[in-house]
Amino acid sequence: IGVAVSGWAADAAGVPVVTGPDGKVVTEAMIYQVSMPGRDKRVNGWKVEKFALKDAPKQAGGETMRHQRMFEFFVIDAPGCALGIWPGAWQRGLKKLKLEQEYFVEGKVVDKEGKPVAGADLTIGKFGITTYTQVHLNRPGVNLPWFKTTTDERGKYRFRGAVLAGYAFDMGVEVIARCKRDGVTMVGNRDISFAGDIPFFKQAREGKSYWGSDPLMMAPTDSLTGIVLDARTGKPLPGAVLTVTGLDFQDKGSRYHQVKSGADGKIEISGMRVDRLVIACEGYQGGRLIVEKEWRDEGMNSLEVPLRPLVEVQGVVIDAHTKEAPLLEMNLSYRFTDPAGRGWTLLVDRGCNVGNSGPDTRFTAAANGRFTRKLPVGKLRLLCLSRVLRRGERHLVDDPYGHIFEREVTGEEGQVMGIKLKRKPGVLFKVKVPKPKPRSSKDANDWEQVVVRMAAGGKSGSGSISPGQPYGYWPVKNWGDKVNFRAELRRAEGRVKLLDKDYAANPDAWPVEIDVVEGVEVSSE
């Protein structure tokens, strides 16, 4: 982030004015400018330039703090004060540097039996905002003495507290511990919130919420082995990428790393406490690896992952009532689960397109109802929803075409897949809704807005149609049941009813077209 020191408030001598928690000017302090050695944010290590507060004007005139220099943040360390952290982007135009009252983050590290762990290496991060310097993402604290420490013989640790400039609330800190004990590699982490205990953070929430009384528990890292196979041929699959998310024993600058299967299809994970597994391979459908039980307690540390090859499918979606393309463009998605070792499952759904997890499982049929898509071989659970109305499976019931199908992909290139959609009982409206007219000034009363409501006769609940959304649908139990359509113009001087009418659900009268602007029904049942 490019930063200029010209934003600092300064006295007559040009020395930046820094005040303490008591409002008095701080004269003795050290400033640490922290930058990355390269543009790659995952590069290990930090570059730290240190100078005294009184020397800041000299640094401002020199190469160190010039506007074109790129750095992440700087730290002001003054006796009796909490560390003051200023991210570089906020330095422009910063008129006041105020330090807060000193505090410490303390705790104890234990193993699974509750015994103290001595000599564990600890790093700390966050200090008020989740993205703070990303130290908490396993990034090493080389040359950053405030963010690294070691537990004593009683397993105790202590960190100097810090406050991120511009944030008067607490999102806590995260402490990460790593050690080798009796030849066993161990890791652990703990989130700590101190709002209510630290004066600066008291406004964050009422009451104390310090979680530091419970110790940080360390546990051995995981060991997983497995083999990746072609689900159709059963042969080992080289080049599959397993993305592992969790706590790494090594300081690798990230919460995840990747393992690739070799020529024999085998994979191996060690030295990491695993939280999440995602697998992918070019030409095959990837997904998440999940377990039905607590896999560590059950000893489920062996994987046998079958990946389905992707083949091109020609598809067509039709409205069963008209034998033509649906009136609304359709979104489709698929999911399936396959065994992936004892107790493990390969899960594929719309939430799998993370990192290198393979292609997204969502796709769209064109206006003519046709699509061309590479799909995984085997049985699929296919979800169809109207593109312009609904986006999630929870809206399946309220979608005029929404349906779930079971379909088989045979593996033959050029396979044609037909999907017939039945119209559900309800009324589909196509409505012209004008955009709201905003106020011409703060105190003006010249605003106006059209509001559209739909509701089934005699039942509670209603739906609305927003500007820019041309279609609206309201379901009923049976064909012939009525849906009330009401539109009104709202403005400062009152409301004007534009239309209030009941429409019977009729599969032959889709859509009912209404011009709300004119208050005119273009066509009806």
Side-chain angles (χ1 to χ4, degrees):
I1 303 172
V3 176
V5 176
S6 59
W8 289 30
D11 60 16
V15 177
V17 176
V18 180
T19 59
D22 56 2
K24 296 181 179 180
V25 175
V26 173
T27 56
E28 297 295 327
M30 297 302 300
I31 297 177
Y32 299 82
Q33 179 180 303
V34 184
S35 59
M36 295 300 295
R39 299 188 66 178
D40 186 352
K41 300 299 182 182
R42 293 172 295 181
V43 173
N44 288 348
W46 299 88
K47 182 177 181 180
V48 180
E49 298 170 86
K50 173 183 175 182
F51 52 91
L53 177 63
K54 61 183 177 63
D55 295 329
K58 300 176 185 178
Q59 298 294 332
E63 176 64 24
T64 301
M65 302 281 284
R66 287 189 185 277
H67 175 75
Q68 63 267 28
R69 274 302 286 256
M70 305 293 289
F71 68 94
E72 300 293 322
F73 62 97
F74 64 91
V75 180
I76 298 182
D77 186 354
C81 301
L83 295 170
I85 312 293
W86 273 268
W90 295 347
Q91 175 55 21
R92 287 195 185 97
L94 191 61
K95 297 179 180 179
K96 188 176 182 181
L97 299 181
K98 183 179 182 296
L99 301 179
E100 301 297 335
Q101 180 177 324
E102 185 175 43
Y103 69 95
F104 297 92
V105 180
E106 301 173 308
K108 184 177 181 180
V109 178
V110 299
D111 60 18
K112 295 183 71 172
E113 284 72 41
K115 298 179 181 179
V117 178
D121 294 325
L122 285 88
T123 57
I124 190 172
K126 290 189 182 179
F127 282 121
I129 185 170
T130 304
T131 56
Y132 163 61
T133 72
Q134 297 185 2
V135 173
H136 62 287
L137 295 181
N138 288 0
R139 189 176 292 179
V142 177
N143 299 327
L144 302 181
W146 324 283
F147 307 137
K148 287 185 76 75
T149 190
T150 304
T151 55
D152 61 18
E153 65 278 1
R154 298 171 298 171
K156 297 290 187 66
Y157 66 86
R158 190 188 203 199
F159 285 100
R160 178 92 172 274
V163 174
L164 187 67
Y167 281 80
F169 59 86
D170 159 49
M171 289 183 67
V173 298
E174 181 183 35
V175 180
I176 300 175
R178 302 175 176 90
C179 77
K180 284 190 176 181
R181 189 180 191 188
D182 300 327
V184 178
T185 302
M186 301 173 66
V187 292
N189 68 312
R190 176 165 181 75
D191 287 322
I192 300 175
S193 172
F194 33 73
D197 286 359
I198 309 304
F200 180 69
F201 296 117
K202 279 188 176 179
Q203 58 185 297
R205 59 173 76 93
E206 295 181 1
K208 293 187 176 183
S209 58
Y210 179 66
W211 303 337
S213 57
D214 294 332
L216 184 159
M217 188 182 74
M218 302 188 71
T221 55
D222 298 316
S223 178
L224 286 170
T225 60
I227 184 170
V228 185
L229 305 172
D230 183 309
R232 185 163 51 173
T233 66
K235 295 182 179 179
L237 193 59
V241 177
L242 186 64
T243 301
V244 189
T245 306
L247 280 178
D248 199 314
F249 178 73
Q250 302 295 328
D251 289 336
K252 293 185 177 180
S254 176
R255 273 287 170 88
Y256 72 93
H257 71 270
Q258 295 178 334
V259 209
K260 185 176 290 188
S261 62
D264 56 1
K266 292 184 178 179
I267 52 177
E268 183 176 349
I269 304 168
S270 61
M272 193 168 187
R273 189 74 174 176
V274 176
D275 291 332
R276 178 183 171 101
L277 296 172
V278 178
I279 195 165
C281 186
E282 186 175 357
Y284 292 79
Q285 175 62 59
R288 290 177 295 167
L289 293 168
I290 61 172
V291 288
E292 300 171 1
K293 299 180 181 180
E294 172 50 51
W295 64 275
R296 295 183 180 95
D297 295 341
E298 298 291 330
M300 298 175 183
N301 57 357
S302 180
L303 303 172
E304 186 173 296
V305 188
L307 296 185
R308 301 188 190 184
L310 296 170
V311 297
E312 187 172 286
V313 173
Q314 304 290 331
V316 57
V317 181
I318 63 172
D319 184 324
H321 193 77
T322 63
K323 306 299 188 296
E324 298 177 353
L327 292 172
L328 306 176
E329 292 185 25
M330 301 300 297
N331 274 337
L332 297 95
S333 62
Y334 61 88
R335 64 179 58 183
F336 61 82
T337 56
D338 283 337
R342 186 175 67 88
W344 289 85
T345 301
L346 174 68
L347 172 66
V348 173
D349 61 18
R350 288 167 292 162
C352 289
N353 55 319
V354 180
N356 292 321
S357 64
D360 193 348
T361 61
R362 295 169 295 185
F363 55 103
T364 302
N368 62 3
R370 296 187 177 276
F371 64 86
T372 300
R373 172 75 180 194
K374 285 196 171 184
L375 298 176
V377 171
K379 290 184 178 180
L380 303 179
R381 180 177 181 267
L382 199 62
L383 171 66
C384 297
L385 289 169
S386 301
R387 183 180 182 186
V388 297
L389 292 180
R390 302 289 183 253
R391 296 185 180 275
E393 187 171 341
R394 67 182 183 275
H395 298 296
L396 187 64
V397 175
D398 298 331
D399 190 281
Y401 288 113
H403 198 77
I404 294 176
F405 298 89
E406 296 289 337
R407 286 292 185 269
E408 177 84 20
V409 178
T410 62
E412 298 178 4
E413 292 290 343
Q415 175 185 351
V416 178
M417 179 184 292
I419 301 172
K420 289 185 179 181
L421 301 175
K422 292 183 179 180
R423 296 183 175 185
K424 293 183 178 179
V427 181
L428 178 66
F429 295 97
K430 185 175 183 180
V431 185
K432 183 179 180 181
V433 182
K435 293 183 179 179
K437 180 181 178 181
R439 299 174 186 268
S440 58
S441 64
K442 183 178 179 181
D443 300 322
N445 291 323
D446 55 349
W447 63 271
E448 62 180 35
Q449 180 182 13
V450 172
V451 177
V452 174
R453 297 288 182 186
M454 301 172 295
K459 293 185 178 180
S460 61
S462 67
S464 61
I465 300 176
S466 304
Q469 180 181 338
Y471 288 95
Y473 173 76
W474 191 254
V476 293
K477 186 175 182 181
N478 301 302
W479 291 112
D481 293 348
K482 293 182 178 181
V483 174
N484 177 257
F485 182 98
R486 178 173 180 172
E488 65 180 17
L489 176 65
R490 297 180 181 180
R491 47 193 175 189
E493 57 268 27
R495 302 183 179 185
V496 178
K497 184 168 66 174
L498 301 177
L499 189 64
D500 188 348
K501 186 175 180 180
D502 289 338
Y503 294 88
N506 183 346
D508 297 319
W510 276 27
V512 175
E513 297 186 35
I514 298 174
D515 187 339
V516 173
V517 180
E518 301 296 334
V520 176
E521 176 187 336
V522 179
S523 64
S524 66
E525 75 279 17

